[in-house]
């Protein structure tokens, strides 16, 4: 129910300093709900599908990547707002809605997560942003971060980010036919990994990630690897296992 919260980040790549940024969710603003409904209409999501929080929450991780344009290389050549200048979701969703669905520039992971929190809360799905420090990015799905290594003849794209922000939502997982997976679910709206051919991720049960229970919904291997994968780095002479920590 809170309309103001904190997004936790890390200051720079070479520092361990952690800080929080105030974020204004403003999920009760009427234009926010209008923007979310407009985005659902643009995705042609049926009313039957909108009754399922699992399908809605998953669709939102795709939609937020269409509402916001990600930019990680500071290539701000077109008019827009730099990621660090955003302080809340309301302005983003209003700009998207009143422009008739034009993509809003620019975003990075915490902006996607902040906007997603607002979107979920606006339709009654309990949500919060979460931050992972030293977040593994396992692109080949082997649960190992092969940094600077050649794997199967190809240089691995795996990496470790100094931090990454995604979302949790609270819901029942009737689709898994097991109540043990009810509760907090992990979802990620940063559009960097494809799932079923599109940039979307989750929901997968927090309990699955914590226990390593590999049930086939949704994107568990990647979400698991962000917090639990082994990290190997090749320095040109040998492969070394590195402990990821704060």
């Amino acid at each position: 129910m809170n309309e103001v919260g904190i997004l936790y980040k890390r200051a720079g790549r070479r520092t361990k300093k952690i800080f929080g940024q105030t974020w204004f969710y403003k999920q009760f603003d009427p234009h926010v709900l209008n923007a979310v409904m407009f985005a659902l209409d643009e995705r042609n999501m049926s009313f039957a599908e909108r009754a399922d929080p699992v399908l809605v929450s998953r669709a939102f991780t795709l939609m937020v990547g269409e509402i916001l344009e990600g930019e990680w290389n500071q290539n701000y050549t077109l008019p827009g707002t730099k990621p660090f200048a955003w302080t809340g979701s309301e302005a983003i969703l209003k700009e998207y809605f009143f422009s008739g669905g034009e993509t809003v520039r620019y975003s990075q992971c915490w902006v996607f997560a902040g906007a997603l929190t607002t979107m979920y809360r606006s339709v009654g799905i309990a949500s919060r942003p979460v931050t992972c420090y030293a977040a593994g990015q396992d692109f080949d799905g082997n649960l190992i971060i092969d940094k600077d290594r050649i794997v199967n003849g190809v240089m691995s794209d795996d990496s470790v980010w100094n931090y990454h922000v995604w979302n949790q939502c609270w819901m029942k997982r009737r689709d898994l036919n097991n109540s043990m997976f009810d509760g907090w679910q992990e979802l990620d709206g940063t559009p960097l990994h494809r799932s079923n051919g599109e940039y979307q991720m989750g929901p997968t049960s927090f309990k699955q990630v914590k226990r390593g229970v590999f049930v086939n919904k949704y994107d568990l291997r990647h979400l698991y690897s962000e917090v639990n994968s082994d990290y190997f780095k090749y320095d040109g002479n040998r492969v070394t296992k590195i402990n990821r920590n704060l």
Side-chain angles (χ1 to χ4, degrees), residues 142-205:
N142 65 356
L143 304 183
I144 295 174
I145 306 302
D146 299 298
K147 186 172 174 58
D148 300 327
R149 285 183 64 194
I150 295 177
V151 180
N152 297 325
V154 179
M155 179 62 74
S156 172
D157 291 328
D158 292 355
S159 61
V160 178
W161 297 352
N162 59 337
Y163 75 95
H164 183 44
V165 189
W166 65 79
N167 289 78
Q168 290 182 336
C169 289
W170 182 277
M171 68 187 71
K172 287 185 175 295
R173 292 302 303 272
R174 294 187 176 92
D175 58 317
L176 298 179
N177 299 315
N178 191 332
S179 61
M180 74 172 289
F181 298 130
D182 294 346
W184 289 113
Q185 311 292 318
E186 312 294 322
L187 302 110
D188 194 343
T190 299
L192 292 174
H193 302 272
R194 291 188 183 274
S195 173
N196 293 340
E198 297 195 87
Y199 289 112
Q200 55 191 345
M201 186 164 294
T204 190
S205 169

Side-chain angles (χ1 to χ4, degrees), residues 72-119:
W72 291 268
N73 297 316
Q74 300 186 40
N75 185 24
Y76 309 123
T77 56
L78 296 174
T81 302
K82 296 179 181 179
F84 294 94
W86 292 113
T87 59
S89 312
E90 180 186 19
I92 294 169
L93 293 168
K94 281 186 175 181
E95 181 175 335
Y96 168 76
F97 179 61
F98 288 115
S99 69
E102 294 292 327
T103 301
V104 178
R105 302 183 182 93
Y106 291 98
S107 179
Q108 290 187 19
C109 64
W110 70 91
V111 183
F112 286 116
L116 261 182
T117 301
T118 298
M119 293 167 64

Side-chain angles (χ1 to χ4, degrees), residues 126 131 137 186 231:
T131 302
Q137 300 298 314
E186 312 294 322
Y231 174 19

Side-chain angles (χ1 to χ4, degrees), residues 26-29 32-33 36-37 60 93 116-125:
K26 306 291 282 186
Q27 66 266 23
F28 296 116
D29 183 286
V32 165
L33 184 58
V36 172
M37 292 298 105
F60 277 17
L93 293 168
L116 261 182
T117 301
T118 298
M119 293 167 64
Y120 289 133
R121 291 181 181 182
S122 72
V123 297
I125 298 176

